[in-house]
Amino acid sequence: MAKVLCVLYPDPSGGYPPPLVRDGLPQLEHYPDGQTLPSPSAIDFTPGALLGSVSGELGLRRFLEDAGHELVVTADKDGDNSEFDRHLADADVVISQPFWPAYLTAERIEKAPNLKLALTAGIGSDHVDLDAAIAHGVTVAEVTYCNSISVAEHVVMMILSLVRNYLPSNRIASEGGWDISDCVSRAFDLEGMDVGTVAAGRIGLAVLRRLAPFDVRLHYTDRHRLPTEIEQELNLTFHESAAAMVPHCDVVTVNAPLHSETRGMFDDDLIATMRRGAYLINTARGLIADREAVVRALESGQLAGYAGDVWYPQPAPPDHPWRSMPNHGMTPHISGSTLSAQARYAAGTREILESFFGGTPVRDEYLIVDGGKLAGAGAHSYSKGG
Ligand SMILES: NC(=O)C1=CN([C@@H]2O[C@H](COP(=O)(O)OP(=O)(O)OC[C@H]3O[C@@H](n4cnc5c(N)ncnc54)[C@H](O)[C@@H]3O)[C@@H](O)[C@H]2O)C=CC1
C-alpha cells in the first residue's frame, strides 16, 4: 500500500471550516475547448467547500484510506526538518499545490527512493525539478485546465484594476476621502489600447477572448501558433517572440509556464523596450520577471503598474520588495484557487490517483513527465532544463 504525502496551505485564520458563502457551484458541461472535466469514479466532498487547506485534505482521506493507503497532510514544507522532508523519505506519491508549493528539488528527489508520482493539484509543475524527475523515472502530472479560466478572469480583473487605478481609489474611499484628482490622475480607459499575451495556451487564449469586447487591439506570441480561424475571429496580431511583441503593447500579460526559455524573461533589457507607462500583469510564475528589474521600472515610471499573484519563493517573505513597490496590484498566489477551481482540481487529483493506483493510463493531457521524458501537456508547453 502506498504512502501519499500531501502539502496544502494552512487553514483559515478564523478556523476550519469557514462559513459557506454560497450554496453550491454552477454546473459546467466541459472545458471551453471541449476537454472533459475531471471524471473520478466518485467524490467525497461538497463542491464549494474549502478543500485546498490542510483540513480540507482535497477531499481525499476516505478514498485513500478505504483503499488501504496512508495519507499524510501537512503545511510544514520548508527547511531540512520540515514534516514534508521527514515523510518524503518513504513517500510513494507527493501532492502539492502551486499556491503553497512543496519544492521538489533534485536533492529532495534524490532522498525519496520510493517516489513514483508528483501530482500538482492545479496547473504549473515548475516547483518540481523536471530534469530530476525525468532522471529518476518519476511521473509528474497536473490537472490541466482546472483553473485556467479562474486565472484568465483574474488577469482581466487586474488589467482593469491597474489601468483604471481601482485599488488606490478604493483605498481613498475606505479611508473616508473624496480626493478625485488623486484617484483619476493615473486612470485611463482600456478601450483602444494594445494588449498582448506572452503565450496563448488555455489561459492566454481565454484572456484574449475575454478582452476582445473591450475594443482593444490584441497581440500574442507563442511557440505554437493559433489556428488561422481564431486569429481572424479575434483579430489577433502574431509576433515571433516576446521581444518582438512588447514594444507594440500598452498592456502585457504573461501566461507561459516557467522553464528554461521563460525564466527571467522580463529583465531590465526587455522592460526597457516596452512603451513608457505600460502595464505588466504576471499570473504565470514569479521567476519569469526579474524581481529587482520590476521594482526599478515601477520606480522610474517605465512601468505604470505591475500586478500578479505569483512570487518566488512562496510564501514570499514579509520584506519581499514586491509588497511595497509603487503602483502594484499584487496578491498572494490565489487566482487559481477559487472555490470553483478547488472542486475541479480536487476531483482531477482523485482521477489521477485512481488511474495511478488502478494501473490504467493517466490522461495524456494531465501528463508533464512520464516514462523518463516530457509527455502530454508537458511536451507541448515545457522545455527541458527549466
Ligand atoms: N496564478 C495561478 O494561480 C496559475 C498560474 N498558472 C500558470 O500559467 C501557466 C499556463 O497555464 P495554461 O495556459 O493553462 O497552460 P497551457 O499549457 O495551456 O499553455 C501554455 C502555453 O505556453 C506556451 N509557451 C511555452 N513556452 C513558451 C515560450 N517560451 N514563449 C511563448 N509561449 C510559450 C505553450 O506553447 C502553451 O501554448 C502554467 O504553466 C502556470 O505556470 C496556471 C494556473 C494557475
Side-chain angles (χ1 to χ4, degrees), residues 99 123-124 147-148 151 199-203 221-224 255-257 259 261-262 283-285 309-310 333 335-336 380-382:
F99 323 104
I123 302 174
N147 55 16
S148 302
V151 178
R202 292 171 180 83
I203 297 174
T221 183
D222 196 297
R223 62 190 201 181
H224 302 284
N255 298 296
H259 59 87
E261 295 160 24
T262 56
T283 50
R285 284 296 177 262
D309 64 335
V310 286
H333 192 165
S335 65
H380 183 87
S381 293
Y382 283 80

Side-chain angles (χ1 to χ4, degrees), residues 14 25 94 106 124 137 175 184 223 235 242 253 261 320 347 359 383:
L25 296 174
V94 166
E175 290 167 0
V184 300
R223 62 190 201 181
N235 198 15
T253 151
E261 295 160 24
H320 193 294
S383 291

Side-chain angles (χ1 to χ4, degrees), residues 296-314:
R296 280 191 284 272
L298 287 169
E299 285 174 349
S300 72
Q302 172 59 13
L303 286 179
Y306 181 95
D309 64 335
V310 286
W311 311 64
Y312 186 81
Q314 290 187 177

Side-chain angles (χ1 to χ4, degrees), residues 132-145:
I134 287 171
H136 287 78
V138 175
T139 295
V140 182
E142 61 185 41
V143 190
T144 305
Y145 230 143

